[in-house]
Amino acid sequence: MSALTIDGSTRLYGIVGDPISQVKTPQLMNAYFQQQGINAVCVPLQVATATFEASLRGIMALGNIAGLVITVPHKIRACALADALSAQARQVGAVNVLRRDAQGAWFGDMFDGAGLVAGLRDNGFTLKGQHVKQLGAGGSGAAVAFALLAAGAASLTLYDPNGEAAQALAARINAQYPQRPARVSTVPAELQGINLLINCSPIGMKPDDGLPAPFADFDPALQVVDIIMQPPETPLIAHARRAGCRATNGRPMIEGQLTAFLRFFDLYAEASPCRH
């Protein structure tokens, strides 16, 4: 394994978020670069919401920035900075990766949903036929919702404090999946008839957040996913594990996306995928 070095020819990849301290993508990508002897580095970039567009335009103008990973809370706003979008990104209305082509144009795609589905399947979660309650209808939430239904979920109930966002996402889903409708809930903790609970909101990221809803004790048969990466055990995951539920944080989503990221950035070596 070659040492990771940085010089004037190093290709730069950034991951953009606010906050940024919780991200794990740099560790995974930099381990892969070192393993494969690729002269590239992935660095975390703290970009405030108030200065997002100006900051991103400046970063994207740098000549040795080859690509960007976009995380909370910028995935929807990043769409407007892309010159072209994949069909998946257009469907979801958000991106989590941007790459620059040889002509200098930026192309955006979204892998959150597909990555989570792949990661959950690898970790023994059942998706087909499940009745899902999802908290959060932002960029990641939209990607996850479409991917779950594509994977065969039987129904989807959405909750978001921004009721308009939840209603808009449900309308887009129902236009594509009229036989497996999404509905909007006004009671975040209601779980009657639910097999799979997914938190796609940021609640649980801060030390004093607590649970994303006032949940009672969970049925041990409930599957629980919190896509937050840091802390590794959010209040929701701790609550689920105490009840004996199958539960996971967001690591399967990140690991499920790594190969897609590397292929998107034209960095994937077929013989040596990097999974940590």
Side-chain angles (χ1 to χ4, degrees):
M1 182 182 292
S2 61
L4 180 64
T5 60
I6 298 175
D7 58 28
S9 298
T10 301
R11 285 175 286 173
L12 304 183
Y13 296 86
I15 178 165
V16 177
D18 182 20
I20 200 64
S21 59
Q22 80 283 357
V23 297
K24 304 299 181 186
T25 300
Q27 296 94 307
L28 296 172
M29 290 187 69
N30 289 326
Y32 178 83
F33 295 152
Q34 184 174 4
Q35 180 190 65
Q36 298 298 323
I38 296 170
N39 190 5
V41 64
C42 179
V43 296
L45 302 171
Q46 175 78 39
V47 176
T49 301
T51 60
F52 174 71
E53 282 80 8
S55 297
L56 256 289
R57 287 191 181 99
I59 293 168
M60 292 164 72
L62 297 174
N64 58 345
I65 289 284
L68 295 168
V69 178
I70 310 296
T71 189
V72 175
H74 302 314
K75 296 177 185 184
I76 293 175
R77 289 169 68 179
C79 272
L81 300 181
D83 298 297
L85 298 172
S86 71
Q88 181 66 23
R90 290 195 302 272
Q91 178 191 62
V92 170
V95 299
N96 73 334
V97 282
L98 292 163
R99 70 169 181 237
R100 177 163 45 199
D101 66 19
Q103 288 71 46
W106 285 86
F107 179 74
D109 209 337
M110 169 54 84
F111 298 118
D112 274 348
L116 180 63
V117 165
L120 291 178
R121 283 174 171 161
D122 286 348
N123 282 270
F125 282 74
T126 302
L127 302 178
K128 187 173 182 179
Q130 300 300 288
H131 296 279
V132 183
K133 177 71 171 280
Q134 178 177 305
L135 309 181
S140 292
V144 168
F146 277 105
L148 288 170
L149 289 167
S155 69
L156 179 67
T157 302
L158 298 168
Y159 172 81
D160 194 285
N162 181 347
E164 291 183 1
Q167 292 285 356
L169 177 55
R172 286 157 50 206
I173 289 169
N174 292 338
Q176 183 162 341
Y177 293 98
Q179 304 306 315
R180 287 179 284 156
R183 69 181 187 91
V184 176
S185 170
T186 59
V187 184
E190 174 57 52
L191 296 176
Q192 185 174 358
I194 297 299
N195 311 117
L196 172 61
L197 172 66
I198 299 187
N199 180 39
C200 294
S201 82
I203 299 173
M205 191 179 294
K206 297 177 182 177
D208 58 349
D209 273 351
L211 291 168
F215 293 114
D217 290 341
F218 289 156
D219 185 316
L222 181 70
Q223 300 178 116
V224 179
V225 178
D226 193 332
I227 70 168
I228 291 170
M229 287 290 297
Q230 191 66 30
E233 185 171 89
T234 63
L236 178 61
I237 295 301
H239 187 71
R241 287 176 176 160
R242 284 194 296 270
C245 301
R246 181 185 291 275
T248 185
N249 68 357
R251 190 170 184 90
M253 183 170 77
I254 298 301
E255 293 183 339
Q257 292 184 81
L258 181 59
T259 297
F261 283 178
L262 295 171
R263 285 190 168 127
F264 179 80
F265 293 130
D266 197 25
L267 294 167
Y268 186 68
E270 291 289 342
S272 301
C274 180
R275 297 296 296 270
H276 291 265

